[in-house]
Amino acid sequence: MNILAFNASPRKKWNTATMLAHVLDGARSKGAECEMIHLYDLAYKGCISCFECKKIGGKSYGRCAVKDELAPVLERAARADALVFGSPVYFGTESGEARSFLERLLFPFVTYTPGYQAIAPKKMPTALIYTMNVKEEALGQLGYNTFMNRMQGTMARVFGSCEVLTATDTCQFKDYGKYLTTAWDAAAKAKRREEVFPQDCAKAYALGERLAAPQAGEPIRGAM
Ligand SMILES: Cc1cc2nc3c(=O)[nH]c(=O)nc-3n(C[C@H](O)[C@H](O)[C@H](O)COP(=O)(O)O)c2cc1C
């Protein structure tokens, strides 16, 4: 089983990447072959609205026609056995590179037919990981659940199932003293990093185990 992880944070070793690494460790423990792709290493843009992926009889029907550094990654994603995607929350939604990636990944697989029938070449378990500064209780108040549920629904429609895992109240810097961050209690953030983030990572590990060994016939449910 081949599982691809996509890190849509510019940071390769902090909250989002760490959560993804735990997902892959969990998947590897079940025998999966795994790879993490750091999207900020790649030069690409979002969907350019060329509609080549929807042209009747076109050579790129159902596939993204844009040829850039993301193109081979999208080909690999379509052939994988499971996908996990992680993004920090920036201004109340995914990061810019995350949006661009998701547009390119998903749009070719959604047809402009009644019910937006999906035409991904294969169904597979997928997961979305979101890390963010706000506390868990703010997810509903600030509408974060809405955007996460919407993307989860699209992923599930395209690939068959999608689980969402969040890490809230994340620690943004190793040393809060170096930055103007009077909005937060640095000691509380450090404590959270030490005590709660490992629990988030354990949930990520368990998610990886599930991705690598989904229950036959049972779609993976959202976990928000
Ligand atoms: C440009 C920018 C915008 C952000 N906007 C939000 C936001 O709207 N809500 C939030 O909860 N956190 C916000 N954050 C904090 C990050 O989402 C959070 O620290 C995240 O865990 C960082 O992930 P990383 O460690 O993988 O980079 C923002 C951070 C940056 C750099």
Side-chain angles (χ1 to χ4, degrees):
M1 178 171 213
N2 175 247
I3 300 185
L4 292 180
F6 302 100
N7 176 27
S9 167
R11 301 200 283 186
K12 293 184 181 174
K13 294 197 170 184
W14 207 232
N15 297 296
T16 311
T18 303
M19 290 283 282
L20 288 170
H22 279 81
V23 173
L24 297 189
D25 284 348
R28 278 192 198 99
S29 77
K30 297 288 176 188
E33 284 180 25
C34 302
E35 187 184 337
M36 173 120 66
I37 294 169
H38 298 284
L39 293 175
Y40 276 76
D41 283 347
L42 306 175
Y44 68 95
K45 288 192 163 71
C47 174
I48 59 166
S49 211
C50 66
F51 294 108
E52 290 295 323
C53 63
K54 315 227 175 300
K55 196 175 269 178
I56 298 164
K59 66 179 181 0
S60 291
Y61 181 79
R63 290 187 297 121
C64 182
V66 176
K67 296 296 170 229
D68 61 9
E69 290 182 19
L70 191 62
V73 172
L74 295 176
E75 296 282 342
R76 290 182 64 200
R79 289 195 309 269
D81 299 309
L83 302 176
V84 55
F85 168 87
S87 176
V89 171
Y90 284 177
F91 294 102
T93 189
E94 291 97 352
S95 68
E97 264 65 8
R99 295 291 308 177
S100 294
F101 170 78
L102 290 168
E103 287 168 10
R104 296 274 301 280
L105 174 72
L106 296 169
F107 193 59
F109 298 150
V110 176
T111 59
Y112 277 173
T113 56
Y116 298 101
Q117 194 194 351
I119 53 165
K122 63 191 279 197
K123 298 292 180 195
M124 61 183 87
T126 68
L128 298 168
I129 303 235
Y130 291 105
T131 76
M132 65 206 81
N133 178 63
V134 297
K135 292 184 193 294
E136 191 167 5
E137 40 287 18
L139 294 182
Q141 295 156 4
L142 297 176
Y144 288 15
N145 281 335
T146 308
F147 89 78
M148 291 188 287
N149 286 340
R150 191 181 303 122
M151 190 52 72
Q152 180 185 22
T154 305
M155 289 285 284
R157 186 143 42 81
V158 167
F159 292 112
S161 69
C162 182
E163 181 167 356
V164 174
L165 181 64
T166 59
T168 55
D169 197 4
T170 56
C171 187
Q172 294 198 61
F173 325 98
K174 280 199 180 111
D175 183 355
Y176 274 70
K178 284 188 183 164
Y179 308 92
L180 179 61
T181 54
T182 45
W184 303 296
D185 177 344
K189 283 287 191 184
K191 190 164 185 281
R192 174 117 188 146
R193 177 86 185 174
E194 208 169 296
E195 293 176 4
V196 179
F197 191 62
Q199 295 170 28
D200 295 330
C201 289
K203 288 181 196 162
Y205 187 97
L207 190 160
E209 293 178 313
R210 290 194 294 282
L211 283 180
Q215 296 282 311
E218 256 193 44
I220 294 170
R221 301 270 169 227
M224 286 195 314

